[in-house]
Amino acid sequence: MVELKSDTALAAMREAGRVVANALAAVQREAAAGVSLLELDEVAHGVLKAAGATSPFLGYRPSFAPVPFPGVICASVNDAVVHGIPGAYRLRDGDLVSIDCGAVLDGWCGDSAVSFTVGTARPEDTALIAATRRALEAGIAAAVVGNRIGDIAHAIGKVGRAGRRYGMIDGFGGHGIGRRMHEDPHVPNEGRPGRGYPLRPGLVLAIEPMLTAGGRDDHDTDPDGWTLRTTDGSRAAHVEHTVAVTEDGPRILTLP
């Protein structure tokens, strides 16, 4: 069931989103060669705790997962697309890192993700991250009253398939968000315009393109049951914002 949020709820979600933005900024500041993913998880955990927020990731166990998720961030490096478990791996110069983080504050959720390079960036990684951000911007721009979910999906996919024609892993995309991290409707990263659930004021969506440099849409799953990787070893980027559909246009709730 799709729930439309009141102005009061949107204001509360904005505060949760601000916590997420601060956590991601803190993680990116600390991400350097030699720093472990577990240490980055501790940084994010500290920001959430200081704000009086909790993590919707920590202990989360959907039907596909063999174990509950053990961190407050998903930390996906290089060929890992999403859902990477923060562990002992220490960052290296040139790593492409995607960090996904959520927060629950006063019963409302925020969810956002960033991709960046540690130290010296490869030109192709810079281009991949930039394309993923453009795809997100296009998806957000399509999140207007009168459009449908398919318009968001089409906008994202059009950017992802342009030029170098990046890959987008099958079956994964964004989602509704509110009291729970994952709510209806599903938001594909590719689709046909004019199709799907209509966008109405108060609908809140986590829009999250994931592009892969190799151009393939399939993926492998690590033995941990969580981490999704490109099948060809190519690098991936993932960016996300929580966005409200309003009469005045899309409102990003996960800005600082």
Side-chain angles (χ1 to χ4, degrees):
M1 183 179 73
V2 175
E3 177 192 3
L4 302 179
K5 277 70 177 181
S6 66
D7 289 343
T8 300
L10 292 184
M13 292 188 71
R14 176 69 182 98
E15 293 309 307
R18 201 184 312 275
V19 174
V20 175
N22 291 339
L24 288 173
V27 167
Q28 190 164 352
R29 284 194 302 269
E30 295 299 320
V35 176
S36 75
L37 300 181
L38 187 58
E39 287 169 338
L40 295 183
D41 189 72
E42 292 168 352
V43 168
H45 203 168
V47 174
L48 267 60
K49 184 176 180 180
T54 59
S55 171
F57 292 13
L58 185 62
Y60 180 59
R61 188 180 183 183
S63 58
F64 68 79
V67 295
F69 195 78
V72 302
I73 61 170
C74 295
S76 306
V77 180
N78 296 332
D79 64 332
V81 187
V82 287
H83 302 164
I85 292 176
Y89 177 83
R90 293 191 177 275
L91 296 173
R92 301 171 183 172
D93 185 66
D95 277 347
L96 195 168
V97 183
S98 297
I99 302 292
D100 192 353
C101 185
V104 182
L105 184 66
D106 296 328
W108 293 98
C109 295
D111 190 6
S112 185
V114 295
S115 287
F116 56 89
T117 302
V118 175
T120 308
R122 300 181 182 183
E124 57 269 31
D125 289 347
T126 300
L128 174 63
I129 293 170
T132 312
R133 289 173 178 164
R134 289 197 303 273
L136 176 60
E137 291 165 0
I140 291 171
V144 296
V145 175
N147 273 357
R148 291 177 176 266
I149 291 293
D151 294 297
I152 297 175
H154 177 72
I156 293 170
K158 186 176 180 180
V159 173
R161 300 303 191 187
R164 293 185 55 170
R165 197 184 185 280
Y166 292 113
M168 290 178 282
I169 59 174
D170 288 326
F172 288 85
H175 49 89
I177 184 171
R179 292 281 188 183
R180 293 176 292 113
M181 178 170 58
H182 290 140
E183 298 183 350
D184 291 332
H186 175 63
V187 186
N189 283 331
E190 193 167 29
R192 297 178 64 183
R195 301 294 183 92
Y197 189 84
L199 306 185
R200 301 188 175 102
L203 179 65
V204 184
L205 304 170
I207 301 174
E208 50 179 322
M210 311 159 198
L211 302 187
T212 65
R216 297 182 59 165
D217 297 344
D218 52 352
H219 68 276
D220 292 327
T221 304
D222 277 6
D224 62 27
W226 280 100
T227 308
L228 306 186
R229 295 188 184 275
T230 59
T231 56
D232 58 5
S234 65
R235 295 191 172 199
H238 170 216
V239 294
E240 176 183 18
H241 270 308
T242 297
V243 180
V245 178
T246 79
E247 293 285 6
D248 298 322
R251 184 187 307 168
I252 301 174
L253 303 180
T254 41
L255 292 173

PDB file of all heavy atoms in Angstrom, residues 9 27 30-31 44 50 57 77 80 93 111 121 133 137-139 147 151 158 161 181-182 186 189 212 220:
ATOM      1  N   ALA A   9       4.679  15.233   8.337  1.00  0.00           N
ATOM      2  CA  ALA A   9       5.528  14.066   8.125  1.00  0.00           C
ATOM      3  C   ALA A   9       6.737  14.417   7.266  1.00  0.00           C
ATOM      4  O   ALA A   9       7.861  13.977   7.541  1.00  0.00           O
ATOM      5  CB  ALA A   9       4.729  12.941   7.479  1.00  0.00           C
ATOM      6  N   VAL A  27      31.587  10.401   6.660  1.00  0.00           N
ATOM      7  CA  VAL A  27      32.252   9.216   6.117  1.00  0.00           C
ATOM      8  C   VAL A  27      33.180   9.606   4.973  1.00  0.00           C
ATOM      9  O   VAL A  27      34.329   9.140   4.898  1.00  0.00           O
ATOM     10  CB  VAL A  27      31.204   8.184   5.649  1.00  0.00           C
ATOM     11  CG1 VAL A  27      31.856   7.095   4.801  1.00  0.00           C
ATOM     12  CG2 VAL A  27      30.509   7.554   6.850  1.00  0.00           C
ATOM     13  N   GLU A  30      36.416  11.111   6.097  1.00  0.00           N
ATOM     14  CA  GLU A  30      37.350  10.178   6.742  1.00  0.00           C
ATOM     15  C   GLU A  30      37.879   9.115   5.797  1.00  0.00           C
ATOM     16  O   GLU A  30      38.820   8.389   6.134  1.00  0.00           O
ATOM     17  CB  GLU A  30      36.662   9.493   7.926  1.00  0.00           C
ATOM     18  CG  GLU A  30      36.273  10.433   9.057  1.00  0.00           C
ATOM     19  CD  GLU A  30      37.471  11.127   9.677  1.00  0.00           C
ATOM     20  OE1 GLU A  30      38.517  10.467   9.843  1.00  0.00           O
ATOM     21  OE2 GLU A  30      37.374  12.330   9.968  1.00  0.00           O
ATOM     22  N   ALA A  31      37.277   8.996   4.625  1.00  0.00           N
ATOM     23  CA  ALA A  31      37.670   7.939   3.688  1.00  0.00           C
ATOM     24  C   ALA A  31      39.009   8.278   3.043  1.00  0.00           C
ATOM     25  O   ALA A  31      39.104   9.209   2.249  1.00  0.00           O
ATOM     26  CB  ALA A  31      36.591   7.761   2.625  1.00  0.00           C
ATOM     27  N   ALA A  44      29.917   6.753  10.786  1.00  0.00           N
ATOM     28  CA  ALA A  44      28.493   6.983  10.533  1.00  0.00           C
ATOM     29  C   ALA A  44      27.658   6.683  11.768  1.00  0.00           C
ATOM     30  O   ALA A  44      26.719   7.428  12.087  1.00  0.00           O
ATOM     31  CB  ALA A  44      28.032   6.118   9.358  1.00  0.00           C
ATOM     32  N   ALA A  50      24.821  10.661  17.858  1.00  0.00           N
ATOM     33  CA  ALA A  50      24.853  12.036  18.355  1.00  0.00           C
ATOM     34  C   ALA A  50      23.563  12.783  18.042  1.00  0.00           C
ATOM     35  O   ALA A  50      23.161  13.689  18.779  1.00  0.00           O
ATOM     36  CB  ALA A  50      26.043  12.773  17.759  1.00  0.00           C
ATOM     37  N   PHE A  57      19.385   0.112   8.669  1.00  0.00           N
ATOM     38  CA  PHE A  57      20.184  -0.946   8.046  1.00  0.00           C
ATOM     39  C   PHE A  57      20.594  -2.007   9.063  1.00  0.00           C
ATOM     40  O   PHE A  57      20.555  -3.201   8.770  1.00  0.00           O
ATOM     41  CB  PHE A  57      21.462  -0.363   7.429  1.00  0.00           C
ATOM     42  CG  PHE A  57      21.286   0.528   6.235  1.00  0.00           C
ATOM     43  CD1 PHE A  57      20.048   1.021   5.878  1.00  0.00           C
ATOM     44  CD2 PHE A  57      22.381   0.886   5.478  1.00  0.00           C
ATOM     45  CE1 PHE A  57      19.894   1.849   4.774  1.00  0.00           C
ATOM     46  CE2 PHE A  57      22.250   1.705   4.376  1.00  0.00           C
ATOM     47  CZ  PHE A  57      21.004   2.194   4.017  1.00  0.00           C
ATOM     48  N   VAL A  77      32.837  -1.315  -2.812  1.00  0.00           N
ATOM     49  CA  VAL A  77      34.098  -0.830  -3.367  1.00  0.00           C
ATOM     50  C   VAL A  77      34.362  -1.447  -4.740  1.00  0.00           C
ATOM     51  O   VAL A  77      34.240  -2.658  -4.928  1.00  0.00           O
ATOM     52  CB  VAL A  77      35.273  -1.159  -2.412  1.00  0.00           C
ATOM     53  CG1 VAL A  77      36.591  -0.643  -2.985  1.00  0.00           C
ATOM     54  CG2 VAL A  77      35.025  -0.562  -1.029  1.00  0.00           C
ATOM     55  N   ALA A  80      31.911  -3.887  -6.549  1.00  0.00           N
ATOM     56  CA  ALA A  80      30.698  -4.083  -5.739  1.00  0.00           C
ATOM     57  C   ALA A  80      29.718  -2.959  -6.079  1.00  0.00           C
ATOM     58  O   ALA A  80      30.069  -1.786  -6.041  1.00  0.00           O
ATOM     59  CB  ALA A  80      31.038  -4.070  -4.263  1.00  0.00           C
ATOM     60  N   ASP A  93      44.471   3.775  -2.603  1.00  0.00           N
ATOM     61  CA  ASP A  93      44.435   4.906  -3.516  1.00  0.00           C
ATOM     62  C   ASP A  93      43.795   4.481  -4.840  1.00  0.00           C
ATOM     63  O   ASP A  93      44.170   3.455  -5.416  1.00  0.00           O
ATOM     64  CB  ASP A  93      45.860   5.410  -3.776  1.00  0.00           C
ATOM     65  CG  ASP A  93      45.873   6.663  -4.631  1.00  0.00           C
ATOM     66  OD1 ASP A  93      45.386   7.708  -4.160  1.00  0.00           O
ATOM     67  OD2 ASP A  93      46.361   6.589  -5.773  1.00  0.00           O
ATOM     68  N   ASP A 111      17.141   8.062   3.566  1.00  0.00           N
ATOM     69  CA  ASP A 111      17.993   7.087   2.892  1.00  0.00           C
ATOM     70  C   ASP A 111      18.707   7.798   1.749  1.00  0.00           C
ATOM     71  O   ASP A 111      18.061   8.464   0.930  1.00  0.00           O
ATOM     72  CB  ASP A 111      17.128   5.941   2.369  1.00  0.00           C
ATOM     73  CG  ASP A 111      17.925   4.756   1.850  1.00  0.00           C
ATOM     74  OD1 ASP A 111      19.154   4.743   1.993  1.00  0.00           O
ATOM     75  OD2 ASP A 111      17.292   3.829   1.302  1.00  0.00           O
ATOM     76  N   ALA A 121      41.932   9.698  -8.831  1.00  0.00           N
ATOM     77  CA  ALA A 121      40.782   9.166  -9.552  1.00  0.00           C
ATOM     78  C   ALA A 121      41.149   8.764 -10.974  1.00  0.00           C
ATOM     79  O   ALA A 121      41.863   9.481 -11.675  1.00  0.00           O
ATOM     80  CB  ALA A 121      39.664  10.204  -9.590  1.00  0.00           C
ATOM     81  N   ARG A 133      25.311  10.472 -11.241  1.00  0.00           N
ATOM     82  CA  ARG A 133      24.705  11.664 -10.644  1.00  0.00           C
ATOM     83  C   ARG A 133      23.730  12.322 -11.611  1.00  0.00           C
ATOM     84  O   ARG A 133      22.654  12.785 -11.200  1.00  0.00           O
ATOM     85  CB  ARG A 133      25.797  12.651 -10.239  1.00  0.00           C
ATOM     86  CG  ARG A 133      26.618  12.204  -9.034  1.00  0.00           C
ATOM     87  CD  ARG A 133      27.787  13.140  -8.791  1.00  0.00           C
ATOM     88  NE  ARG A 133      28.562  12.752  -7.607  1.00  0.00           N
ATOM     89  CZ  ARG A 133      29.782  13.196  -7.343  1.00  0.00           C
ATOM     90  NH1 ARG A 133      30.382  14.057  -8.179  1.00  0.00           N
ATOM     91  NH2 ARG A 133      30.423  12.802  -6.256  1.00  0.00           N
ATOM     92  N   GLU A 137      19.791  13.094 -11.034  1.00  0.00           N
ATOM     93  CA  GLU A 137      19.192  14.405 -11.256  1.00  0.00           C
ATOM     94  C   GLU A 137      18.017  14.323 -12.226  1.00  0.00           C
ATOM     95  O   GLU A 137      16.985  14.982 -12.032  1.00  0.00           O
ATOM     96  CB  GLU A 137      20.257  15.368 -11.794  1.00  0.00           C
ATOM     97  CG  GLU A 137      21.314  15.734 -10.761  1.00  0.00           C
ATOM     98  CD  GLU A 137      22.545  16.376 -11.383  1.00  0.00           C
ATOM     99  OE1 GLU A 137      22.566  16.533 -12.635  1.00  0.00           O
ATOM    100  OE2 GLU A 137      23.486  16.714 -10.631  1.00  0.00           O
ATOM    101  N   ALA A 138      18.166  13.502 -13.263  1.00  0.00           N
ATOM    102  CA  ALA A 138      17.081  13.334 -14.229  1.00  0.00           C
ATOM    103  C   ALA A 138      15.875  12.664 -13.588  1.00  0.00           C
ATOM    104  O   ALA A 138      14.717  13.047 -13.835  1.00  0.00           O
ATOM    105  CB  ALA A 138      17.574  12.523 -15.425  1.00  0.00           C
ATOM    106  N   GLY A 139      16.133  11.644 -12.753  1.00  0.00           N
ATOM    107  CA  GLY A 139      15.035  10.976 -12.066  1.00  0.00           C
ATOM    108  C   GLY A 139      14.314  11.914 -11.121  1.00  0.00           C
ATOM    109  O   GLY A 139      13.075  11.911 -11.051  1.00  0.00           O
ATOM    110  N   ASN A 147       3.106  13.101 -13.361  1.00  0.00           N
ATOM    111  CA  ASN A 147       3.908  12.032 -13.957  1.00  0.00           C
ATOM    112  C   ASN A 147       3.603  10.713 -13.281  1.00  0.00           C
ATOM    113  O   ASN A 147       2.819  10.649 -12.323  1.00  0.00           O
ATOM    114  CB  ASN A 147       5.401  12.356 -13.841  1.00  0.00           C
ATOM    115  CG  ASN A 147       5.901  13.196 -15.004  1.00  0.00           C
ATOM    116  OD1 ASN A 147       5.163  13.495 -15.939  1.00  0.00           O
ATOM    117  ND2 ASN A 147       7.171  13.585 -14.946  1.00  0.00           N
ATOM    118  N   ASP A 151       7.921   7.445 -15.642  1.00  0.00           N
ATOM    119  CA  ASP A 151       8.622   8.638 -16.124  1.00  0.00           C
ATOM    120  C   ASP A 151       9.953   8.820 -15.405  1.00  0.00           C
ATOM    121  O   ASP A 151      10.940   9.240 -16.010  1.00  0.00           O
ATOM    122  CB  ASP A 151       7.734   9.868 -15.937  1.00  0.00           C
ATOM    123  CG  ASP A 151       6.496   9.831 -16.814  1.00  0.00           C
ATOM    124  OD1 ASP A 151       6.653   9.833 -18.046  1.00  0.00           O
ATOM    125  OD2 ASP A 151       5.378   9.765 -16.268  1.00  0.00           O
ATOM    126  N   LYS A 158      17.410   6.649 -19.575  1.00  0.00           N
ATOM    127  CA  LYS A 158      17.861   7.394 -20.752  1.00  0.00           C
ATOM    128  C   LYS A 158      19.284   7.910 -20.561  1.00  0.00           C
ATOM    129  O   LYS A 158      20.110   7.857 -21.476  1.00  0.00           O
ATOM    130  CB  LYS A 158      16.897   8.545 -21.027  1.00  0.00           C
ATOM    131  CG  LYS A 158      17.177   9.298 -22.309  1.00  0.00           C
ATOM    132  CD  LYS A 158      16.117  10.367 -22.543  1.00  0.00           C
ATOM    133  CE  LYS A 158      16.394  11.132 -23.835  1.00  0.00           C
ATOM    134  NZ  LYS A 158      15.360  12.182 -24.073  1.00  0.00           N
ATOM    135  N   ARG A 161      21.848   4.807 -20.416  1.00  0.00           N
ATOM    136  CA  ARG A 161      22.103   4.122 -21.690  1.00  0.00           C
ATOM    137  C   ARG A 161      22.728   5.046 -22.737  1.00  0.00           C
ATOM    138  O   ARG A 161      23.102   4.596 -23.816  1.00  0.00           O
ATOM    139  CB  ARG A 161      20.803   3.559 -22.238  1.00  0.00           C
ATOM    140  CG  ARG A 161      20.111   2.552 -21.337  1.00  0.00           C
ATOM    141  CD  ARG A 161      20.986   1.361 -20.994  1.00  0.00           C
ATOM    142  NE  ARG A 161      20.206   0.315 -20.344  1.00  0.00           N
ATOM    143  CZ  ARG A 161      20.708  -0.793 -19.814  1.00  0.00           C
ATOM    144  NH1 ARG A 161      22.016  -1.005 -19.843  1.00  0.00           N
ATOM    145  NH2 ARG A 161      19.938  -1.698 -19.246  1.00  0.00           N
ATOM    146  N   MET A 181      11.817   1.849   5.941  1.00  0.00           N
ATOM    147  CA  MET A 181      12.819   2.167   4.932  1.00  0.00           C
ATOM    148  C   MET A 181      12.353   1.772   3.541  1.00  0.00           C
ATOM    149  O   MET A 181      12.578   2.509   2.574  1.00  0.00           O
ATOM    150  CB  MET A 181      14.137   1.466   5.267  1.00  0.00           C
ATOM    151  CG  MET A 181      15.228   1.698   4.248  1.00  0.00           C
ATOM    152  SD  MET A 181      16.851   1.115   4.757  1.00  0.00           S
ATOM    153  CE  MET A 181      16.555  -0.638   5.057  1.00  0.00           C
ATOM    154  N   HIS A 182      11.722   0.607   3.428  1.00  0.00           N
ATOM    155  CA  HIS A 182      11.253   0.146   2.131  1.00  0.00           C
ATOM    156  C   HIS A 182       9.732   0.071   2.141  1.00  0.00           C
ATOM    157  O   HIS A 182       9.139  -0.743   2.854  1.00  0.00           O
ATOM    158  CB  HIS A 182      11.836  -1.235   1.800  1.00  0.00           C
ATOM    159  CG  HIS A 182      13.303  -1.194   1.523  1.00  0.00           C
ATOM    160  ND1 HIS A 182      14.178  -2.161   1.960  1.00  0.00           N
ATOM    161  CD2 HIS A 182      14.064  -0.297   0.854  1.00  0.00           C
ATOM    162  CE1 HIS A 182      15.405  -1.862   1.572  1.00  0.00           C
ATOM    163  NE2 HIS A 182      15.356  -0.726   0.900  1.00  0.00           N
ATOM    164  N   HIS A 186       7.797   0.338  -5.875  1.00  0.00           N
ATOM    165  CA  HIS A 186       9.143   0.123  -6.407  1.00  0.00           C
ATOM    166  C   HIS A 186       9.413   1.150  -7.506  1.00  0.00           C
ATOM    167  O   HIS A 186       8.507   1.522  -8.254  1.00  0.00           O
ATOM    168  CB  HIS A 186       9.254  -1.293  -6.979  1.00  0.00           C
ATOM    169  CG  HIS A 186      10.551  -1.592  -7.660  1.00  0.00           C
ATOM    170  ND1 HIS A 186      11.760  -1.591  -7.004  1.00  0.00           N
ATOM    171  CD2 HIS A 186      10.824  -1.888  -8.962  1.00  0.00           C
ATOM    172  CE1 HIS A 186      12.730  -1.883  -7.855  1.00  0.00           C
ATOM    173  NE2 HIS A 186      12.188  -2.062  -9.047  1.00  0.00           N
ATOM    174  N   ASN A 189      14.997   1.526 -12.366  1.00  0.00           N
ATOM    175  CA  ASN A 189      15.971   2.438 -12.956  1.00  0.00           C
ATOM    176  C   ASN A 189      15.906   2.463 -14.473  1.00  0.00           C
ATOM    177  O   ASN A 189      16.745   3.084 -15.131  1.00  0.00           O
ATOM    178  CB  ASN A 189      17.378   2.078 -12.491  1.00  0.00           C
ATOM    179  CG  ASN A 189      17.640   2.540 -11.074  1.00  0.00           C
ATOM    180  OD1 ASN A 189      17.075   3.518 -10.618  1.00  0.00           O
ATOM    181  ND2 ASN A 189      18.500   1.824 -10.367  1.00  0.00           N
ATOM    182  N   THR A 212      26.949   0.550 -14.038  1.00  0.00           N
ATOM    183  CA  THR A 212      28.151  -0.272 -14.105  1.00  0.00           C
ATOM    184  C   THR A 212      28.908   0.032 -15.387  1.00  0.00           C
ATOM    185  O   THR A 212      28.320   0.172 -16.458  1.00  0.00           O
ATOM    186  CB  THR A 212      27.804  -1.767 -14.039  1.00  0.00           C
ATOM    187  OG1 THR A 212      27.056  -2.143 -15.201  1.00  0.00           O
ATOM    188  CG2 THR A 212      26.968  -2.076 -12.793  1.00  0.00           C
ATOM    189  N   ASP A 220      26.580 -10.791  -9.800  1.00  0.00           N
ATOM    190  CA  ASP A 220      26.867 -11.925  -8.926  1.00  0.00           C
ATOM    191  C   ASP A 220      26.637 -11.498  -7.480  1.00  0.00           C
ATOM    192  O   ASP A 220      26.734 -10.313  -7.146  1.00  0.00           O
ATOM    193  CB  ASP A 220      28.313 -12.395  -9.083  1.00  0.00           C
ATOM    194  CG  ASP A 220      28.583 -13.017 -10.439  1.00  0.00           C
ATOM    195  OD1 ASP A 220      27.657 -13.642 -10.996  1.00  0.00           O
ATOM    196  OD2 ASP A 220      29.715 -12.873 -10.943  1.00  0.00           O
TER     197      ASP A 220
END
